[in-house]
Amino acid sequence: MKRKLTVAISAALFSVACSSSEPMQEGMAEVSSPVAQSTQQTAYQGSERGQANAREQRESVFSMQQIMADPDWIGRAPENAYWSWDGRSVLFSRKREGSPQRDLFQRPLTAGGNGSQVALSALHAHAYGNAVENSDGSLHAYIFERNIFVLDASSGEVQQLTRDSQNKTSLQFLRDGRLSYRIGNDIYAISLANGFTELVLSLQTQDAPEALKEPADILAREEINLIEYNQVQRRQRQERFDDQQALAANNSSLAPEPFYLGSNIQVVEVSLSPSAQHAIVAVTEPQSWRGEGDLMPRYVTESGRIENQNVRRRVADAKPVNHTLYWLDLNTGEKTELSYESLPGFDEDVLAAVREENYAAEGKTYESKNAPRAIGLMPGWSAPEGNIVWNENGSAVALMLRAWDNKDRWIATIDFASANLVSQHRLHDEAWINRDFNAFNWLPESNSLWYLSEESNYSHLYVKNLDNGNVEQITDGRFLVDNVTLSQAGDMFYFQGNVEHPGIYEIYRVSVNGGDIEQLTDLNGMTNYSLSPDETRLLLTHSSPLQPNELYVQEIRNGSAATQLTETVSAEFESMPWAEPEIVQVPSSHVDDPIYSRVYLPEDFDPNRAEGYPAVVFIHGAGYLQNAHGGWSGYFREFMYHSKLTDLGYVVLDLDFRGSAGYGRDWRTAVYRQMGTPEVEDLVDVVNWMGEHRNVDVERVGTYGGSYGGFLTFMALFKEPGLFKAGAALRPVTDWAHYNTGYTSNILNLPQDDMIAYRRSSPIYFAEGLEDALLINAPMVDDNVFFQDSVRLVQRLIELEKENFETAIFPVEPHGFVQPSSWLDEYRRIHKLFETHLH
């Protein structure tokens, strides 16, 4: 049976728990869903023996072994779903039972069940999930196992174009109907009519060959003049060079001359225009991702010996990365460097105030001066549409650029007449530019660009007409726009957004000319989408707090409801009496916006019980992540553990502290130069709120979290002694100067510029504040947060003569645990910590 809990996603307090009559905030949704009803009561007993018996009984329902087992028992949810070419079925991957491998499944819309596995012999004909289309959408090209295939969208016929072992990328239909692709630093084009393949562009990372070099010095000059053999060799080299040059000039059958980019150069990106007349290339000086001298020993190995593994460099060792941009004219062979000097702010000292503060702390004076900044293409993972985008006919190109200091993002076009970059949009942030919400592209058949920007605090859609410079904001409000799809006609934007509630994501559309937003789905929870080939339906991936992702389909018309396609959750999982969280808005004592949190209550929760409840606060990892939402959490083991805790009489809360995703730019950047300060303030607020509104005994509250959550566990215990009686820090960061560059430099700048921020934000500098019970769980082969982080903190605690801490090591685990036995051991230790200090 299912036990009933009503989950109110609202500003109001839980009406059953409190007598508050605070009205529901306008515009908030109310979600009610049945949850499993337990056959056993978890009523608190008056004696310790009664409590122990209740816990023992509960072990049969929520055993730690089951919670931490291989998650296959929950079900194997569909992943990476996409439409079939004809829109009659959907395809998706599923984890293979008992294995990390994935298999492809196909499920016709008219059939029941979870579809059937695509045969290995047919995989090549179904691997078009990321296909590129020609101008009229009649042909879809894609890569399967390094080879190129083309699907005819009118018949479904698949043609294989290559059969070799060379890795191919960057598929693109050209305006003349050919298909281009990249192998290494070369771009080829293949004719679909006759299969003729030609080299279109070759990039050489070396200096251009010269006929004869002048003698290097006086000795070389004398040697050439003196020795006849040297003279003959030079003359023959010159003849070969002259013949090759003449042949290339007079014989059209030869491949085009390569573009020479210089030695000690690495190609970052190359983009060929649809007309195949031009290309844009970004290059940089090569840098190793490895840190100098940084090795991670592995103690449990097949060889029986200690083996060392190279690991990434630390932010303290980071060096600026600058990209040099070239515009290549494939007709003339000209290579033109594009200067950044036309970008507004290209030489600003954006860190002047930070450097002045740090210099002053050392008794020095900083003299600010303008100098060119390191600038390059926005990383590919930040710009879903790509960071170099051409218009349809290849006559114009737009690039997304980012300053290496993380303070600026530009969208620029190229004036081919003057060979200059033209800034079309500058997004400046005193903190840092987001890694998300960087999609941009051209509107079809117009000289207009659309793009996402956080300039209004939230990610919204904008359109700029390049002919007159007018910019129109298409969406507006306290919500995020993401995963944008432009309709084939170019008249509608489809997007995913959290319009009604920060934790509920639905699908919407809006005209490219602006106007009212139309809500297309109403599923509550977390919903993402893919448009059908004919744009009449949505393929939806949806989850709720108690249901992992499943697939749905919905017609795009008023009043349509979504139909569920897959049911992959196991009966065993569904039969369990999981506690469904209530999403609440905890008022902040520091900012106007509330702290959205998930709250789990015991089944027989009594707001008037004389004895307050013990409580646990879970702190999510990643920092910039959203967990207090209405969907299935990526922390599914933690969710199950929280149900176990509620059955043992705990109240559990997990919060989206400041710095979390989903709530706009200001919430995200609140942690700039002070990681661990606003988040701990939020932890204080949620503990006090639980005491006032959920009958929690604030003297019996514990906390735990991994990675960023482990870091915040340290900061809370070190900076706010007594807030938590016990805390477990898992795979924790202790010193941000030892973490990676991409994440850390955004928030804290570089140690050499801003050591104040690193000392302010790193737990190792506050270890003397430890008074409460601490458990440190540290994986030893963690190449994300190094084991050294925990080792250095333990040494610091020893030197401070702290007693109330324990350390558990996990010899074979990386940052994300893999072995069920390790998960079990870790959570047994966490549970023992809480039972010992909170009960």
Side-chain angles (χ1 to χ4, degrees):
M1 275 193 354
K2 298 210 165 188
R3 78 185 187 197
K4 284 199 157 186
L5 282 178
T6 297
V7 180
I9 301 180
S10 68
L13 299 178
F14 190 47
S15 59
V16 176
C18 306
S19 58
S20 169
S21 58
E22 180 181 353
M24 180 176 289
Q25 184 173 327
E26 182 180 353
M28 295 298 177
E30 184 166 310
V31 179
S32 298
S33 60
V35 210
Q37 165 110 33
S38 171
T39 57
Q40 304 175 32
Q41 296 288 329
T42 55
Y44 247 68
Q45 307 295 325
S47 66
E48 291 184 5
R49 180 178 179 182
Q51 292 178 14
N53 287 340
R55 289 192 190 86
E56 289 173 5
Q57 290 174 351
R58 267 317 184 194
E59 284 297 328
S60 64
V61 178
F62 292 118
S63 73
M64 200 72 85
Q65 289 91 340
Q66 185 70 43
I67 292 172
M68 300 301 157
D70 186 313
D72 279 1
W73 78 273
I74 299 173
R76 294 169 292 117
E79 304 171 354
N80 304 315
Y82 58 94
W83 287 97
S84 66
W85 64 272
D86 57 3
R88 296 178 181 176
S89 62
V90 298
L91 294 109
F92 54 91
S93 298
R94 286 188 75 186
K95 180 182 177 296
R96 189 180 303 168
E97 190 168 4
S99 169
Q101 296 296 106
R102 265 60 179 172
D103 296 311
L104 185 66
F105 284 74
Q106 185 169 23
R107 202 276 199 185
L109 298 184
T110 56
N114 292 318
S116 56
Q117 184 177 338
V118 177
L120 294 177
S121 60
L123 281 180
H124 67 282
H126 294 81
Y128 44 77
N130 294 314
V132 298
E133 299 180 9
N134 62 353
S135 58
D136 63 5
S138 61
L139 298 177
H140 298 188
Y142 58 95
I143 295 173
F144 171 75
E145 293 295 316
R146 302 186 177 184
N147 284 293
I148 300 172
F149 296 79
V150 173
L151 182 147
D152 187 323
S154 62
S155 65
E157 180 182 348
V158 173
Q159 179 185 8
Q160 183 171 353
L161 300 185
T162 66
R163 190 179 186 186
D164 56 51
S165 59
Q166 292 180 297
N167 191 41
K168 303 169 187 66
T169 61
S170 307
L171 278 183
Q172 177 185 9
F173 278 101
L174 302 178
R175 295 296 296 170
D176 59 13
R178 292 180 299 165
L179 183 65
S180 68
Y181 58 94
R182 179 179 170 185
I183 297 178
N185 290 330
D186 295 331
I187 294 181
Y188 297 85
I190 184 170
S191 169
L192 302 188
N194 57 26
F196 178 72
T197 302
E198 62 179 307
L199 179 66
V200 175
L201 171 63
S202 180
L203 303 175
Q204 297 292 322
T205 53
Q206 63 186 45
D207 295 326
E210 298 178 3
L212 286 179
K213 292 185 179 180
E214 288 297 316
D217 53 28
I218 187 63
L219 289 181
R221 187 180 304 117
E222 287 300 304
E223 192 72 0
I224 292 170
N225 291 334
L226 182 64
I227 304 299
E228 183 180 357
Y229 171 80
N230 290 335
Q231 298 169 14
V232 171
Q233 292 298 308
R234 285 173 63 81
R235 184 178 69 251
Q236 290 176 352
R237 286 202 304 273
Q238 181 68 51
E239 290 171 351
R240 287 196 297 270
F241 179 82
D242 291 343
D243 284 352
Q244 192 62 39
Q245 294 295 105
L247 180 63
N250 292 280
N251 194 317
S252 61
S253 70
L254 272 64
E257 282 291 299
F259 286 86
Y260 293 94
L261 303 174
S263 58
N264 195 33
I265 286 295
Q266 175 183 329
V267 176
V268 177
E269 185 60 86
V270 54
S271 179
L272 179 68
S273 72
S275 63
Q277 303 298 309
H278 306 280
I280 306 299
V281 178
V283 301
T284 189
E285 294 182 4
Q287 281 196 25
S288 173
W289 63 271
R290 297 180 178 88
E292 295 181 9
D294 276 334
L295 297 171
M296 182 175 68
R298 306 180 74 99
Y299 292 94
V300 180
T301 64
E302 293 183 13
S303 68
R305 293 168 173 80
I306 297 174
E307 298 177 3
N308 287 322
Q309 175 182 328
N310 288 314
V311 289
R312 50 97 182 142
R313 70 169 65 235
R314 303 159 199 256
V315 64
D317 300 325
K319 299 176 182 178
V321 177
N322 186 79
H323 296 168
T324 301
L325 291 180
Y326 292 108
W327 163 41
L328 308 181
D329 188 322
L330 275 61
N331 291 320
T332 65
E334 276 190 83
K335 178 183 71 175
T336 304
E337 183 175 347
L338 299 168
S339 171
Y340 295 123
E341 293 184 7
S342 60
L343 300 179
F346 85 99
D347 62 348
E348 285 183 14
D349 186 358
V350 294
L351 286 168
V354 168
R355 289 168 175 149
E356 287 170 2
E357 181 184 351
N358 277 269
Y359 270 59
E362 298 179 9
K364 302 176 184 178
T365 300
Y366 176 73
E367 295 183 5
S368 177
K369 56 185 177 182
N370 289 356
R373 299 155 69 186
I375 297 174
L377 288 175
M378 176 71 76
W381 47 261
S382 282
E385 299 289 338
N387 45 42
I388 305 175
V389 293
W390 298 85
N391 66 359
E392 289 178 302
N393 60 22
S395 62
V397 65
L399 303 85
M400 182 169 283
L401 306 167
R402 185 188 67 164
W404 191 75
D405 54 41
N406 311 304
K407 309 298 182 188
D408 276 288
R409 182 199 82 180
W410 297 270
I411 299 175
T413 54
I414 298 177
D415 181 343
F416 291 116
S418 63
N420 286 321
L421 290 173
V422 180
S423 178
Q424 302 295 348
H425 180 258
R426 179 190 183 187
L427 179 63
H428 177 77
D429 199 308
E430 294 294 331
W432 76 93
I433 298 297
N434 201 345
R435 70 188 186 202
D436 296 332
F437 313 124
N438 294 306
F440 77 114
N441 213 324
W442 296 89
L443 288 180
E445 299 181 1
S446 74
N447 195 28
S448 297
L449 288 167
W450 68 264
Y451 57 89
L452 291 178
S453 174
E454 278 190 317
E455 60 201 72
S456 68
N457 187 21
Y458 292 86
S459 168
H460 281 295
L461 270 165
Y462 297 79
V463 171
K464 179 173 183 178
N465 184 320
L466 273 57
D467 290 329
N468 55 29
N470 289 340
V471 177
E472 182 177 2
Q473 184 171 349
I474 304 302
T475 60
D476 187 25
R478 292 174 59 84
F479 61 89
L480 303 175
V481 172
D482 199 10
N483 193 17
V484 179
T485 302
L486 182 63
S487 64
Q488 295 173 13
D491 59 343
M492 299 291 292
F493 290 117
Y494 292 79
F495 65 91
Q496 178 196 41
N498 56 352
V499 176
E500 298 298 323
H501 184 280
I504 296 178
Y505 288 79
E506 302 286 359
I507 311 308
Y508 302 84
R509 68 178 176 182
V510 64
S511 168
V512 296
N513 298 315
D516 294 336
I517 294 172
E518 180 184 0
Q519 182 173 340
L520 299 178
T521 64
D522 189 20
L523 290 172
N524 290 316
M526 297 290 282
T527 305
N528 214 329
Y529 77 104
S530 175
L531 268 176
S532 65
D534 62 3
E535 298 189 348
T536 63
R537 290 162 296 171
L538 297 171
L539 172 59
L540 305 171
T541 301
H542 169 75
S543 71
S544 63
L546 301 185
Q547 177 196 289
N549 279 329
E550 298 286 8
L551 300 182
Y552 297 71
V553 67
Q554 179 178 322
E555 299 286 334
I556 302 177
R557 51 184 172 85
N558 291 334
S560 294
T563 301
Q564 186 169 344
L565 295 180
T566 61
E567 295 183 18
T568 58
V569 179
S570 71
E572 183 179 9
F573 178 83
E574 288 189 322
S575 69
M576 299 289 282
W578 305 115
E580 185 167 2
E582 168 199 8
I583 299 180
V584 300
Q585 300 180 39
V586 176
S588 168
S589 58
H590 299 275
V591 294
D592 293 336
D593 291 324
I595 307 160
Y596 283 87
S597 305
R598 287 189 179 202
V599 179
Y600 301 76
L601 298 175
E603 178 188 2
D604 57 351
F605 176 76
D606 181 358
N608 301 310
R609 197 178 81 172
E611 179 189 13
Y613 290 87
V616 169
V617 174
F618 170 65
I619 309 174
H620 71 67
Y624 186 63
L625 177 147
Q626 186 175 15
N627 198 44
H629 54 68
W632 178 252
S633 173
Y635 293 101
F636 58 89
R637 291 182 181 88
E638 289 77 1
F639 154 73
M640 292 187 286
Y641 177 52
H642 297 165
S643 290
K644 178 182 180 66
L645 285 173
T646 62
D647 265 7
L648 296 177
Y650 290 82
V651 171
V652 181
L653 179 146
D654 66 68
L655 73 158
D656 281 341
F657 46 81
R658 274 174 285 172
S660 297
Y663 307 95
R665 178 265 173 199
D666 293 349
W667 193 264
R668 169 177 66 84
T669 60
V671 298
Y672 177 57
R673 302 189 67 219
Q674 56 173 358
M675 294 163 79
T677 295
E679 306 99 305
V680 172
E681 293 172 348
D682 293 345
L683 287 168
V684 172
D685 281 341
V686 298
V687 170
N688 290 337
W689 180 88
M690 287 193 295
E692 295 174 11
H693 300 291
R694 292 301 182 271
N695 196 18
V696 164
D697 179 356
V698 295
E699 298 299 319
R700 293 194 293 149
V701 182
T703 189
Y704 79 107
S707 193
Y708 199 94
F711 149 71
L712 284 182
T713 298
F714 284 145
M715 293 297 268
L717 267 61
F718 295 171
K719 296 180 70 176
E720 289 286 342
L723 178 65
F724 298 111
K725 280 293 182 186
L730 325 176
R731 45 199 176 275
V733 175
T734 68
D735 189 341
W736 287 107
H738 290 257
Y739 197 54
N740 68 34
T741 304
Y743 183 88
T744 317
S745 65
N746 280 342
I747 308 173
L748 302 180
N749 303 308
L750 296 177
Q752 53 265 41
D753 287 324
D754 200 0
M755 201 59 207
I756 288 175
Y758 281 80
R759 294 192 186 107
R760 184 188 289 149
S761 303
S762 297
I764 200 166
Y765 293 98
F766 301 94
E768 66 275 6
L770 179 64
E771 296 178 5
D772 305 290
L774 170 63
L775 170 64
I776 304 171
N777 285 357
M780 295 182 69
V781 290
D782 189 339
D783 59 0
N784 182 10
V785 178
F786 298 152
F787 180 58
Q788 184 187 19
D789 264 57
S790 294
V791 172
R792 292 178 68 236
L793 181 66
V794 167
Q795 178 61 25
R796 181 74 180 129
L797 293 172
I798 291 171
E799 292 174 354
L800 291 167
E801 300 181 1
K802 298 295 181 180
E803 299 180 78
N804 204 17
F805 74 94
E806 294 181 352
T807 307
I809 62 172
F810 296 86
V812 302
E813 292 297 348
H815 193 66
F817 278 23
V818 176
Q819 304 301 320
S821 57
S822 298
W823 281 106
L824 178 61
D825 184 88
E826 179 176 58
Y827 273 78
R828 277 176 168 169
R829 294 175 188 276
I830 296 168
H831 192 61
K832 181 180 179 181
L833 179 78
F834 293 152
E835 288 284 87
T836 300
H837 295 278
L838 307 184
H839 259 297

